[in-house]
């Protein structure tokens, strides 16, 4: 987050994709962040498998989450994309794998296959009623595998079903 934030300041036209971000508890979160009814996502810096990730809708909720957190844990708070691209109504992410052989000259190889992770519940923009429904907001397999709507498909090349799919499908 620190590196990308620095690059966005130095070269905004190439880093416009990077969301507003704060490192907590060090950074002060501007009061106006919550005035435009936008959601934020709070992530512990050393979390794995979706543990400790929360959609935050208000300053009071952020304060409550931070008070309950381990005081030695650093968190990243970012603007949450309330209107993401969806796959048949489900939120998804893609993992593409690259091998960087050299920086100068730049030599990069892109793996011919990647992974698409799909939520197990249809997406709805975050509200106080559904923000804790992690299986519609987070694509982490560990979170989704225990959801009632989870669908395991043995063949990841089946691009129409399941929460893990091949990019090529």
């Amino acid at each position: 987050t620190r590196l990308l934030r620095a690059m966005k300041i130095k070269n905004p036209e190439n880093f416009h994709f990077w969301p507003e971000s704060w490192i907590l508890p060090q950074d002060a979160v501007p009061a106006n962040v919550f005035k435009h009814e936008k959601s934020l996502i709070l992530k512990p810096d050393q979390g794995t498998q979706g543990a400790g990730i929360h959609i935050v809708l208000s300053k009071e909720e952020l304060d409550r989450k931070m008070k309950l957190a381990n005081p030695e844990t650093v968190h990243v708070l970012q603007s949450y994309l309330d209107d993401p691209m969806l796959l048949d109504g489900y939120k998804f992410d893609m993992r593409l794998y690259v091998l960087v052989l050299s920086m100068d000259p730049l030599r990069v190889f892109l793996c011919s296959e990647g992974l698409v992770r799909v939520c197990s519940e249809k997406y709805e923009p975050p509200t106080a009623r559904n923000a804790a429904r992690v299986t519609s907001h987070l694509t982490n397999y560990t979170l989704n595998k225990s959801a009632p709507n989870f669908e395991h498909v043995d063949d990841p090349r089946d691009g129409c079903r399941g929460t893990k799919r091949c990019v090529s499908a």
Side-chain angles (χ1 to χ4, degrees), residues 30 61 72 74 78 127:
E61 187 178 6
E72 295 183 22
V74 173
Q78 292 180 315
T127 65

mmCIF file of all heavy atoms in Angstrom, residues 30 61 72 74 78 127:
data_model
loop_
_atom_site.group_PDB
_atom_site.id
_atom_site.type_symbol
_atom_site.label_atom_id
_atom_site.label_comp_id
_atom_site.label_asym_id
_atom_site.label_seq_id
_atom_site.Cartn_x
_atom_site.Cartn_y
_atom_site.Cartn_z
ATOM 1 N N PRO A 30 -9.772 10.771 6.696
ATOM 2 C CA PRO A 30 -10.535 12.021 6.593
ATOM 3 C C PRO A 30 -12.007 11.819 6.957
ATOM 4 O O PRO A 30 -12.616 10.819 6.584
ATOM 5 C CB PRO A 30 -10.395 12.416 5.120
ATOM 6 C CG PRO A 30 -9.251 11.624 4.597
ATOM 7 C CD PRO A 30 -9.150 10.395 5.436
ATOM 8 N N GLU A 61 -18.498 2.347 12.930
ATOM 9 C CA GLU A 61 -18.191 0.936 12.699
ATOM 10 C C GLU A 61 -16.683 0.719 12.574
ATOM 11 O O GLU A 61 -16.143 -0.243 13.120
ATOM 12 C CB GLU A 61 -18.910 0.454 11.440
ATOM 13 C CG GLU A 61 -18.777 -1.025 11.211
ATOM 14 C CD GLU A 61 -19.541 -1.495 9.990
ATOM 15 O OE1 GLU A 61 -20.091 -0.661 9.241
ATOM 16 O OE2 GLU A 61 -19.558 -2.715 9.774
ATOM 17 N N GLU A 72 -1.498 -4.265 18.012
ATOM 18 C CA GLU A 72 -0.235 -4.364 17.281
ATOM 19 C C GLU A 72 -0.434 -4.712 15.808
ATOM 20 O O GLU A 72 0.515 -4.726 15.037
ATOM 21 C CB GLU A 72 0.666 -5.397 17.957
ATOM 22 C CG GLU A 72 1.084 -4.959 19.352
ATOM 23 C CD GLU A 72 2.023 -5.934 20.019
ATOM 24 O OE1 GLU A 72 2.682 -6.724 19.307
ATOM 25 O OE2 GLU A 72 2.101 -5.894 21.252
ATOM 26 N N VAL A 74 -1.459 -4.016 12.101
ATOM 27 C CA VAL A 74 -1.624 -2.923 11.148
ATOM 28 C C VAL A 74 -2.727 -3.336 10.177
ATOM 29 O O VAL A 74 -2.816 -4.497 9.775
ATOM 30 C CB VAL A 74 -0.296 -2.654 10.394
ATOM 31 C CG1 VAL A 74 -0.489 -1.636 9.289
ATOM 32 C CG2 VAL A 74 0.779 -2.212 11.372
ATOM 33 N N GLN A 78 -9.356 0.705 2.570
ATOM 34 C CA GLN A 78 -9.420 1.168 1.182
ATOM 35 C C GLN A 78 -10.846 1.433 0.768
ATOM 36 O O GLN A 78 -11.787 0.825 1.286
ATOM 37 C CB GLN A 78 -8.852 0.103 0.237
ATOM 38 C CG GLN A 78 -7.370 -0.121 0.378
ATOM 39 C CD GLN A 78 -6.887 -1.187 -0.586
ATOM 40 O OE1 GLN A 78 -7.493 -2.227 -0.735
ATOM 41 N NE2 GLN A 78 -5.779 -0.906 -1.245
ATOM 42 N N THR A 127 -24.765 -2.904 2.308
ATOM 43 C CA THR A 127 -25.665 -2.143 3.165
ATOM 44 C C THR A 127 -25.444 -2.647 4.591
ATOM 45 O O THR A 127 -24.757 -3.660 4.799
ATOM 46 C CB THR A 127 -27.149 -2.380 2.789
ATOM 47 O OG1 THR A 127 -27.468 -3.763 3.042
ATOM 48 C CG2 THR A 127 -27.439 -2.025 1.349
#
